Amino acid sequence: MKNIFPREWIFKFMAYFCRKRHCMFVENMPSRAMFLEAQRDTTGMESRNDNFLEARRKEILRSKHFPLQYTSKWKSPFTRNVWNITLTIKDKSAFYAPEVFCYCRFNTHWGVDVIFPNYDPVDGRLEVVHITTHFFKRYRTRYLAFQKKDLQGVDVVEEFIQANALIHFPSHKSVGHFTCCVTGGIAFGEYDGDITRFTTFVSYEMLKKIQEKVLHSGIENQKRYNAFMEDPGMQPYKQFELQGRISSPGRFPSLSQKDIDKFIQENPNTKRLADIFYKDEEG
């Protein structure tokens, strides 16, 4: 039976249903609904954390060992999301300004994704970060494994969030995608309305190899082009280059099919460009 409801209608209904029924984060949840859920829970967590610390005020101020760290779970009465919260107090003077990081996990078709509220260190605005299962897999195999950290599942999430409690994102959301520096490499992501989504991760070592490969490829292509232009048997091609039909320097000379047919007809014994360039590319 054909679906008579447009996809955007379904997403709007899901957002309305989530607000009315206090549903948790779900896969394919509209970005606006996800942001509002996280914003509502973050406000509730701030009050909860203040009460939590006030109840331990004497214990913290009398402590002689810092930093102090408290880890707990909190189920939001507003949305029923379960949040993992870690409060870190570096010294007594930081009692009213502890380091806080929290995240909420939810199941998707691909595995477990994470919602990570992040306050921009520059302007203090709330960024709701959606970190995908794919990102954590790449972070584990491309960075943690080389650091001799054999972590799995939730431990990978904890490791990443603790090491990247504050992340600054580019503000040009009109582009639709971004890259930002994180511990051990570069995160690639996209802006989906109010949500900043991490999609994959590339380590610094991989980035270095990619850059080297591109550099060497460019050098080799330039060498082949120079050799081609210096070959006395290629004078007819050079006429096209001098006429502006070939941009120089470039990866491959660009000729129209009409130019090529005419040249082959007039110079039947000259090697074709495909024999010079594409054979090496295939090899």
Side-chain angles (χ1 to χ4, degrees), residues 62-116:
R62 291 176 180 176
S63 177
K64 296 181 180 180
H65 303 284
F66 287 92
L68 295 176
Q69 190 172 83
Y70 298 95
T71 302
S72 61
K73 292 183 182 293
W74 177 68
K75 185 174 182 179
S76 170
F78 312 112
T79 63
R80 298 180 184 174
N81 291 314
V82 178
W83 293 86
N84 294 269
I85 306 172
T86 299
L87 301 174
T88 303
I89 304 172
K90 292 185 176 181
D91 51 50
K92 293 181 182 180
S93 63
F95 175 78
Y96 290 104
E99 288 185 354
V100 181
F101 69 84
C102 54
Y103 66 90
C104 178
R105 294 179 291 146
F106 65 98
N107 295 323
T108 68
H109 177 74
W110 304 104
V112 177
D113 287 14
V114 166
I115 294 296
F116 171 38

Side-chain angles (χ1 to χ4, degrees), residues 185-212:
I186 303 294
F188 289 79
E190 61 187 15
Y191 294 117
D192 180 12
D194 298 287
I195 298 297
T196 303
R197 182 172 292 112
F198 281 22
T199 55
T200 194
F201 170 86
V202 173
S203 67
Y204 288 128
E205 187 62 28
M206 287 181 62
L207 193 64
K208 180 181 178 182
K209 290 180 180 179
I210 291 172
Q211 291 172 326
E212 288 179 350

Side-chain angles (χ1 to χ4, degrees), residues 164-203:
N164 300 277
L166 293 175
I167 306 173
H168 177 59
F169 303 99
S171 59
H172 304 293
K173 291 193 175 184
S174 59
V175 178
H177 55 82
F178 68 91
T179 59
C180 67
C181 294
V182 295
T183 302
I186 303 294
F188 289 79
E190 61 187 15
Y191 294 117
D192 180 12
D194 298 287
I195 298 297
T196 303
R197 182 172 292 112
F198 281 22
T199 55
T200 194
F201 170 86
V202 173
S203 67

